[in-house]
Amino acid sequence: MVISVKELFARVGEKKSVEFQIPEEKLSELRGYHFATGISVSGLLENRAGILTFSYHAAFTLAIECDRCLKPFERAYDYDFSHTIVQSLNTDNDEYIVAADATIDADEIAITDLLLRLPTKLLCKDDCKGLCMSCGCDLNESDCDCQDLNQ
């Protein structure tokens, strides 16, 4: 969703609520993650002293495989983010989002934030034992004799 921020930059104290969905179809091109739902985003753009603050909440569900036992599972996530948006910068600074043409791509901002925040190892449960490296037995469901033979 592209949001015009031209009017917000014009008036100090101006606020604009935003609420939108990033559909699953747009998320299907992201490798390594399968979104079971779209991303629901709700937030506020606010002009504070000539710069904008974009604060928002994102909620979604991932349908994924456990990195240890390979079982499929779904997990809901919700995160809060905040960014400072400026019209221009004299130097490179990753702390600010530049709205050079008085627009921001809120979809791109939210997707980037989520990909940076998601854990790199996704487990079905914190104490997942995984699979036996010898026979492939799911150690969460049963013990195997391979561990006794390797000792």
Side-chain angles (χ1 to χ4, degrees), residues 1-9 16-18 20 26 41 43-46 52-56 82-88 96-110 113:
M1 171 178 206
V2 176
I3 300 172
S4 174
V5 292
K6 185 176 184 176
E7 292 179 15
L8 285 168
F9 275 121
K16 179 179 183 175
S17 294
V18 292
F20 59 94
K26 187 168 187 174
V41 178
L44 181 69
L45 281 157
E46 183 177 7
L52 300 183
T53 301
F54 180 34
S55 302
Y56 69 94
S82 184
H83 291 283
T84 302
I85 302 170
V86 296
Q87 292 183 30
S88 64
Y96 301 109
I97 295 173
V98 178
D101 59 353
T103 62
I104 58 168
D105 187 343
D107 287 356
E108 181 181 330
I109 293 168
D113 284 343

Side-chain angles (χ1 to χ4, degrees), residues 56-74:
Y56 69 94
H57 178 82
F60 59 97
T61 300
L62 286 179
I64 42 188
E65 284 185 348
C66 178
D67 285 333
R68 287 190 188 151
C69 68
L70 304 178
K71 281 192 177 169
F73 70 100
E74 288 190 1

